Amino acid sequence: MATEQAARRAAALRQQIAEYDYWYYVKDAPRIPDAEYDKLFRELQALEAQHPELLTPDSPTQRVGGKVLDGFVPVRHAVPMLSIRTETDIEDSGAYNFDTRVKNALGAAEEIEYSCELKFDGLAINLRYERGVLVQAATRGDGETGEDVTQNIRTIHCIPLHLKDCAAAVLEVRGEVYMSRADFDRYNEKQRAQGLPMLVNPRNGAAGSIRQLDPKLAAQRPLSFFAYGLGEVKGWGLPGTHGAILDGLEQFGLPVCGERAVVQGAQALAEFHRRIAAKRDALPFDIDGVVYKVNSLALQQELGFVSREPRWAVAHKYPAEEQITVLRDIEVQVGRTGKLTPVAKLEPVFVGGTTVSNATLHNEDEVRRKDVHIGDTVIVRRAGDVIPEVVGVVLERRPPDARAFVMPTSCPVCGSHVVREEGEADARCTGGLFCAAQRKQAILHFAGRRMMDIEGLGDKLVDQLVDGNIIRSLPDLYRLDMATLAGLERMAEKSAQNIIDALEKSKVATLNRFLFALGIRHVGESTAKDLARHFGKLDSIMLATPEQLLQVPDVGPVVAHSIHDFFAEAHNREVVQQLRALGVHWEEHDGMAHQVLPLTGKTFVLTGTLASMGRDEAKSRLETLGAKVSGSVSKKTDCVVAGSEAGSKLDKARELNIPVWDEPQLLDQLKEWEGQ
Ligand code: IVH
């Protein structure tokens, strides 16, 4: 191809690819199938290989490919990168104090207008664009001088290498590089599977990746970016407000977080703080607070700075999601299936909004990997509604008498043998229902909300019932009487009666709930539903051979054998028989083994918020039509239904080229199928 023609084609491809990148990484709304995109990308790579003179630094092929550096080159910031004052109190006063300071400094009586944003928990970066092209990226450093991390920043796909319609001679964009929670989990899962070191938290993931000297390694860690301000600007007529600057940056194709607002007065600041606090757990990334900025640039200038912090901005923090505390002991808990879990007993610490004194250590290997000793000072993390976790050790604070953890060889509850099978991460107590801990957990599981739903049967009561030898097996639950219950500690007549009523009510069950409640290994809620739908009758399941069980959608050999072995055990058949004799019942039908529904064999995944119905309703309607509704997207998924604010599952669906429906499409289809 003649060079001129090649140059034109390369330019066109670059523009096309940049546009698709924008829709994919910034707008989260892909415009073409991955395969088409790859084709364009490979064409550009081939062109550039043939005509190296055509290569430009803003070509999308240049996101990865830089050389390993010896070290980072210092960059002096044209405009210093300042930090902001922090209000740490978790109440409203942070908002009111800031507003009062601003009003006093301005001598203003009227309400001030503010731009409210999230305080992203990552690493501050300055992106320098000259005539719209990204020429340099630097860390904050000491505020005056940072480090040149351009190569690594280029690997972040949502950062445009070329701005849209921006001819400014210089435009420095400031913002935060961060790792989303989903990307963090995915990365750590991959590392764990390969026995490689894991990241402590998303912030360390982002910071560590940016400070990586080999850009290929940096590129393996998925990072994102949000713009929140400006550095040096030449040749762009600044708008009058901070809010308008953010809108402008968005127009240039930069990612700006949608969770922002322009408001008037202190009360509205406090409301923003509260509104974001309520959804903090549900955000796809970590934040450590919100930021308020005086919206008018003229007023910002009038307010100026005190000791290198602007008077016009403040960070209003939320309770930290990580804290340091002392690990006093490691206790071993026995779960329903006998799994032994080491649990850290902590010096109580306020983290993520609650006081935490227990944190899971998952299993023996995790304790080793994190090098946790008894007596250590540890980092505890509680983010979102996940259970608190020990993520690391402050080694410098290890006391001389710190002790390593040893997994016991006999069950701490029943003394039975502990085994850890080849290739398994978990150690298990072999006591089965002889073990009081397993019995307690089995009863609590049976009584759970999504199982037999026995209200009021909590762990304190189950402890008493099992420890007092009142309940030795599940059927004993239905033999409880008022006199026995009312005789228990902290049990008034009224609550005893409530338990009796709840037990009576639970007798009206469904086959799938009952199956799930039995606690058969590997039979979760969805397998229980599949089994109930397929066989229709409990006896058919109890008599099924492993081969017949394999006919059920999504039941593989491990699950089939587990079900078969469970019912092969005389003791378990006895439990079922007694429960039925005591009045537990459900409706049975002929099974659907041979009946084909419109969605039989199809797997759906629901993600995001559906406006017209709850996700539970959508799920049950799809299931009634024969579909399986799964929680995660895989190659076996046939369709993903994406409501508003769908996140990583939608990304995954696109990655795997799985059809995606929006809510109207789902409603149309449901109408059609249900009408059949
Ligand atoms: S504005 C002069 N806005 O918080 C104002 N900072 O000390 C400069 N941060 O490490 C900062 N989210 O990287 C601003 N929406 C946001 C922010 C934000 C996170 C970080 C920033 C810096 C620290 C501020």
Side-chain angles (χ1 to χ4, degrees):
M1 207 188 283
T3 307
E4 202 182 310
Q5 201 185 347
R8 266 203 306 275
R9 180 66 187 148
L13 283 168
R14 268 175 214 138
Q15 202 186 347
Q16 239 180 324
I17 291 170
E19 188 66 17
Y20 290 137
D21 277 347
Y22 171 74
W23 284 101
Y24 190 98
Y25 291 104
V26 181
K27 299 305 252 188
D28 199 11
R31 282 293 161 103
I32 48 162
D34 288 1
E36 291 293 308
Y37 176 94
D38 292 344
K39 223 163 85 188
L40 295 174
F41 199 89
R42 281 196 301 270
E43 185 186 344
L44 179 59
Q45 276 177 321
L47 262 180
E48 288 174 347
Q50 266 173 22
H51 303 273
E53 72 282 4
L54 292 181
L55 202 70
T56 59
D58 63 338
S59 171
T61 58
Q62 298 308 293
R63 287 200 182 267
V64 197
K67 292 191 193 62
V68 180
L69 303 175
D70 295 329
F72 294 110
V73 178
V75 176
R76 205 170 161 77
H77 296 301
V79 176
M81 287 181 81
L82 303 174
S83 63
I84 37 181
R85 176 174 166 150
T86 299
E87 295 281 350
T88 43
D89 75 287
I90 52 175
E91 302 302 325
D92 289 351
S93 52
Y96 288 95
N97 292 345
F98 172 60
D99 181 61
T100 307
R101 284 199 304 275
V102 168
K103 278 178 150 174
N104 286 346
L106 292 172
E110 69 286 358
E111 293 287 34
I112 306 291
E113 186 172 83
Y114 296 105
S115 165
C116 305
E117 298 161 28
L118 306 186
K119 186 167 188 299
F120 313 106
D121 200 6
L123 186 72
I125 291 288
N126 184 64
L127 305 176
R128 188 176 172 91
Y129 289 91
E130 292 179 0
R131 307 231 163 267
V133 177
L134 177 68
V135 294
Q136 189 180 58
T139 59
R140 174 166 178 265
D142 62 6
E144 298 288 338
T145 308
E147 288 177 321
D148 187 329
V149 289
T150 315
Q151 284 209 98
N152 290 345
I153 289 295
R154 279 180 187 290
T155 68
I156 302 175
H157 286 273
C158 71
I159 295 184
L161 300 174
H162 203 132
L163 297 178
K164 287 180 199 236
D165 308 320
C166 174
V170 176
L171 182 76
E172 286 189 353
V173 178
R174 288 178 179 173
E176 200 88 348
V177 165
Y178 68 93
M179 188 180 270
S180 76
R181 290 177 176 161
D183 283 334
F184 170 80
D185 290 343
R186 238 186 327 252
Y187 179 84
N188 265 358
E189 208 26 72
K190 214 174 70 204
Q191 294 289 103
R192 186 205 301 269
Q194 297 176 22
L196 295 170
M198 286 158 66
L199 303 170
V200 169
N201 56 34
R203 179 170 28 80
N204 285 15
S209 169
I210 290 303
R211 303 216 68 262
Q212 179 56 254
L213 289 165
D214 181 352
K216 289 206 180 51
L217 291 180
Q220 285 166 14
R221 292 192 189 172
L223 300 184
S224 305
F225 176 82
F226 279 132
Y228 57 61
L230 296 174
E232 188 181 23
V233 177
K234 282 188 197 158
W236 184 42
L238 278 187
T241 63
H242 183 73
I245 290 178
L246 295 182
D247 296 342
L249 295 180
E250 203 166 30
Q251 295 288 314
F252 290 148
L254 285 152
V256 180
C257 181
E259 210 63 75
R260 63 184 194 266
V262 172
V263 305
Q264 324 279 331
Q267 199 180 334
L269 294 180
E271 270 159 26
F272 183 80
H273 187 258
R274 269 198 301 268
R275 184 167 71 74
I276 299 299
K279 63 194 314 193
R280 181 185 186 192
D281 289 356
L283 291 172
F285 44 81
D286 283 2
I287 58 169
D288 52 357
V290 291
V291 180
Y292 313 133
K293 297 171 185 171
V294 170
N295 202 28
S296 150
L297 298 199
L299 292 185
Q300 282 189 8
Q301 200 154 28
E302 199 176 324
L303 285 159
F305 298 82
V306 251
S307 63
R308 313 188 46 72
E309 285 174 351
R311 265 202 206 89
W312 47 263
V314 81
H316 193 176
K317 292 256 204 167
Y318 291 125
E321 289 179 325
E322 280 183 15
Q323 284 297 351
I324 281 174
T325 190
V326 173
L327 184 149
R328 288 208 221 115
D329 199 3
I330 297 179
E331 224 176 70
V332 174
Q333 278 179 5
V334 186
R336 178 168 60 83
T337 56
K339 175 183 164 184
L340 301 188
T341 306
V343 176
K345 300 295 195 182
L346 306 166
E347 202 63 62
V349 62
F350 191 73
V351 54
T354 48
T355 301
V356 167
S357 43
N358 296 314
T360 181
L361 285 160
H362 302 290
N363 57 48
E364 198 178 356
D365 293 348
E366 284 282 302
V367 180
R368 297 267 166 288
R369 199 179 57 71
K370 289 177 179 154
D371 188 27
V372 175
H373 282 43
I374 297 160
D376 268 343
T377 295
V378 294
I379 305 164
V380 180
R381 179 175 166 88
R382 182 185 174 275
D385 46 10
V386 293
I387 45 175
E389 212 191 355
V390 170
V391 291
V393 173
V394 186
L395 270 183
E396 308 86 73
R397 298 215 202 155
R398 174 165 291 169
D401 60 347
R403 282 180 294 130
F405 167 74
V406 195
M407 187 56 99
T409 51
S410 56
C411 172
V413 175
C414 71
S416 300
H417 219 65
V418 166
V419 291
R420 182 172 163 188
E421 271 154 38
E422 261 310 288
E424 286 249 339
D426 298 322
R428 272 173 209 286
C429 157
T430 52
L433 289 180
F434 167 73
C435 176
Q438 293 189 50
R439 230 178 311 149
K440 285 177 187 172
Q441 293 301 322
I443 293 166
L444 285 169
H445 175 82
F446 184 81
R449 202 170 48 79
R450 300 196 329 273
M451 300 78 172
M452 302 299 278
D453 194 16
I454 309 173
E455 226 184 293
L457 198 74
D459 46 4
K460 296 276 177 326
L461 179 56
V462 170
D463 279 352
Q464 287 191 66
L465 293 170
V466 172
D467 294 340
N469 235 350
I470 300 168
I471 289 192
R472 275 168 298 261
S473 69
L474 291 175
D476 285 346
L477 269 177
Y478 293 100
R479 298 188 179 105
L480 282 172
D481 55 34
M482 272 299 286
T484 316
L485 278 172
L488 294 172
E489 258 174 65
R490 285 187 301 178
M491 181 66 76
E493 193 142 318
K494 176 88 175 69
S495 13
Q497 186 60 52
N498 287 345
I499 302 278
I500 297 284
D501 293 346
L503 280 162
E504 204 49 42
K505 201 170 120 205
S506 76
K507 288 182 183 171
V508 188
T510 59
L511 178 54
N512 55 302
R513 278 173 172 260
F514 181 75
L515 275 171
F516 183 28
L518 286 177
I520 306 166
R521 229 178 135 192
H522 304 301
V523 177
E525 193 170 17
S526 91
T527 306
K529 278 186 189 164
D530 291 344
L531 287 166
R533 195 177 308 124
H534 185 87
F535 289 102
K537 294 186 175 63
L538 182 62
D539 288 337
S540 322
I541 301 172
M542 290 176 73
L543 294 170
T545 60
E547 290 69 34
Q548 287 168 326
L549 289 162
L550 279 170
Q551 300 301 308
V552 181
D554 278 328
V555 167
V558 174
V559 184
H561 277 104
S562 168
I563 299 165
H564 183 256
D565 293 352
F566 183 89
F567 289 115
E569 187 77 53
H571 167 82
N572 291 331
R573 287 200 306 271
E574 178 69 24
V575 164
V576 169
Q577 192 270 323
Q578 287 185 22
L579 285 169
R580 287 178 119 166
L582 286 159
V584 175
H585 64 280
W586 51 85
E587 260 179 48
E588 301 210 318
H589 59 81
D590 285 339
M592 295 187 175
H594 306 291
Q595 195 176 329
V596 179
L597 288 166
L599 298 181
T600 299
K602 298 275 182 241
T603 303
F604 279 69
V605 172
L606 303 171
T607 178
T609 314
L610 299 176
S612 60
M613 65 181 116
R615 252 204 260 175
D616 283 342
E617 186 192 332
K619 183 168 181 225
S620 95
R621 283 169 74 178
L622 287 166
E623 283 172 347
T624 309
L625 291 160
K628 183 179 152 52
V629 179
S630 158
S632 59
V633 179
S634 75
K635 275 187 294 204
K636 290 192 194 143
T637 309
D638 294 291
C639 177
V640 171
V641 179
S644 57
E645 287 174 44
S648 60
K649 288 180 194 169
L650 182 56
D651 296 345
K652 183 83 186 279
R654 286 177 173 144
E655 206 175 286
L656 297 173
N657 260 327
I658 290 164
V660 174
W661 290 356
D662 57 12
E663 187 168 355
Q665 256 171 305
L666 173 72
L667 290 174
D668 277 357
Q669 288 290 348
L670 282 175
K671 210 156 64 187
E672 190 174 314
W673 288 321
E674 285 167 349
Q676 271 178 13

